[in-house]
Amino acid sequence: QPWMRHGTRLKLNEIKALLDGLPAASSVSVVRPDDIIGALFSRAEGGTLVRVGERIRRYDSADEVKKAKVDINALKALLESAFGARLADGYFEKLLKLDGSNNSDGTQLAHLYVAESLRAAAVITRVPGAPDGCLYMDKLAVHNSFRGLGIAELLWQRICRDIGSMFWRSRSENSLNTWYYRQADGAFSSGEWTVFFYGLEHIRDSEDCVGVALDIPTSIERQQQQQQQQQKEAAAAADAARRSTPPPTPPKLRARR
């Protein structure tokens, strides 16, 4: 870049050398001497903040994912960590047609976005019934340790640059919905879910998007559901144990004279 020369280039090279030896979530703040205390002990903005950039890779088919040998286990771990729940059995196997698996509902992988550090990813699909050319964002995940570092915005910018129209859904209590509302052209709330969309050619297409999104089976087992299931299983086991244990023999009474 034209502005990167002399002292600026030297500073950036020194910062890069420093960050290369630190965890990926590290950053360097360049401030005036008078602002050092504020930069260290508060969230006050000032100076220049430098972070390690993230290269976002895009795969446009299941074959590309398999050819690139993307670490599916790491992706699964990322999604489960970000959502705090277990991913449905066979999610990636069906989406990527691994081991002969396939999605019976006709859902196909359109794009898989993966950060080079495997700390952020997005799964974009083609779903039956969606408006022509409109894709569905099935998953967007950022590792907990990388939230607030700008990687979500970086990933989102790349998605919007590539995809002209898209819709997705989020649970109505999701704390990220405030951010989703800022990114979307419109949204529709219906009890458990809120459906977001952008780039639609006709307003009536939003009805199709909402209908399709609400009919998609969930692929994340919520932690609460898991806990409830575990509680039911524990209660059933306790009940079975109680039934199999014979009642205690009552003590013999001795007559008193």
Side-chain angles (χ1 to χ4, degrees), residues 59 64-66 68-73 75 112 114 118:
Y59 306 95
E64 287 189 10
V65 175
K66 288 182 279 189
K69 297 181 180 180
V70 176
D71 191 339
I72 301 303
N73 290 330
L75 280 181
L112 174 64
V114 182
L118 285 174

Side-chain angles (χ1 to χ4, degrees), residues 126-141:
R126 296 185 181 89
V127 293
D132 290 343
C134 189
L135 300 179
Y136 176 70
M137 184 173 69
D138 192 65
K139 296 286 181 291
L140 176 67

Side-chain angles (χ1 to χ4, degrees), residues 67-220:
K67 185 177 180 180
K69 297 181 180 180
V70 176
D71 191 339
I72 301 303
N73 290 330
L75 280 181
K76 181 179 178 181
L78 167 64
L79 293 180
E80 292 183 340
S81 173
F83 287 98
R86 194 171 70 89
L87 196 64
D89 292 337
Y91 174 78
F92 277 114
E93 287 76 8
K94 294 177 182 178
L95 192 63
L96 301 177
K97 302 177 182 179
L98 302 176
D99 303 325
S101 302
N102 203 348
N103 276 319
S104 57
D105 61 1
T107 299
Q108 297 179 342
L109 177 69
H111 308 293
L112 174 64
Y113 291 88
V114 182
E116 194 171 32
S117 64
L118 285 174
R119 290 296 185 266
V123 179
I124 314 296
T125 62
R126 296 185 181 89
V127 293
D132 290 343
C134 189
L135 300 179
Y136 176 70
M137 184 173 69
D138 192 65
K139 296 286 181 291
L140 176 67
V142 177
H143 193 274
N144 295 335
S145 64
F146 274 61
R147 291 181 180 178
L149 298 181
I151 190 172
E153 287 77 8
L154 183 66
L155 178 58
W156 186 259
Q157 290 171 6
R158 175 66 187 276
I159 292 172
C160 294
R161 188 181 71 191
D162 295 344
I163 301 173
S165 61
M166 188 174 72
F167 67 109
W168 66 99
R169 73 181 184 186
S170 172
R171 295 192 184 276
S172 296
E173 71 274 14
N174 191 342
S175 60
L176 291 177
N177 286 349
T178 301
W179 186 80
Y180 281 146
Y181 275 111
R182 295 200 300 267
Q183 315 307 320
D185 292 338
F188 177 84
S189 295
S190 176
E192 182 181 8
W193 298 103
T194 298
V195 180
F196 301 89
F197 49 86
Y198 75 77
L200 300 182
E201 186 175 353
H202 304 288
I203 188 61
R204 63 177 178 271
D205 290 339
S206 62
E207 299 180 7
D208 295 334
C209 291
V210 170
V212 170
L214 294 180
D215 284 341
I216 294 176
T218 182
S219 54
I220 288 287

